[in-house]
Amino acid sequence: MSNTLIAEEDLQWEDLGGGIRRKLMAQDETMMLVKVAFEKGGVGAAHHHHHTQASTIESGVFEITIGDETKVLKAGDAYFVPSNVVHGAVCLEEGVLVDVFTPRRDDFLP
């Protein structure tokens, strides 16, 4: 399989439990692209990591908290998480987040 031209149907979802699935779309040592699918009510628990993260809402509606700020975001919206800032998500309507991390999230690798 090509590492540069990637068909989504060639990739497998990883079940994370709690109505959340993750699919590693593309990566190298410096960056990683990940899709995360949520069922309604799914919670991405508050956490932090040294990676910088930029995300967009592909579909659905999410309550996103970054630091002490919370906002409801929908398809087409985006958010940015600086390194080591606590953040989390609650899925209000079933949907998918697309996350980009730099550097790569080695803890996501199989």
Side-chain angles (χ1 to χ4, degrees):
M1 176 169 42
S2 170
N3 291 326
T4 56
L5 300 172
I6 301 156
E8 183 175 6
E9 65 263 12
D10 293 338
L11 304 174
Q12 300 299 311
W13 286 103
E14 175 186 1
D15 188 354
L16 303 177
I20 302 173
R21 299 177 299 148
R22 176 172 61 211
K23 185 181 283 200
L24 303 182
M25 299 297 297
Q27 52 94 15
D28 70 7
E29 301 80 29
T30 64
M31 181 174 29
M32 178 178 269
L33 178 67
V34 179
K35 282 192 174 190
V36 186
F38 286 76
E39 294 177 5
K40 182 178 180 177
V43 175
H47 65 286
H48 65 90
H49 42 73
H50 74 273
H51 311 84
T52 301
Q53 175 180 342
S55 301
T56 187
I57 295 32
E58 180 178 286
S59 61
V61 178
F62 294 83
E63 180 182 85
I64 304 294
T65 300
I66 302 171
D68 60 0
E69 184 178 3
T70 299
K71 188 169 186 174
V72 174
L73 299 176
K74 62 184 179 344
D77 295 338
Y79 59 94
F80 178 80
V81 183
S83 178
N84 290 312
V85 174
V86 175
H87 58 285
V90 176
C91 183
L92 304 177
E93 292 180 19
E94 180 178 343
V96 175
L97 301 178
V98 178
D99 300 330
V100 176
F101 299 98
T102 184
R104 171 180 67 197
R105 292 286 305 257
D106 288 341
D107 55 319
F108 285 4
L109 297 176

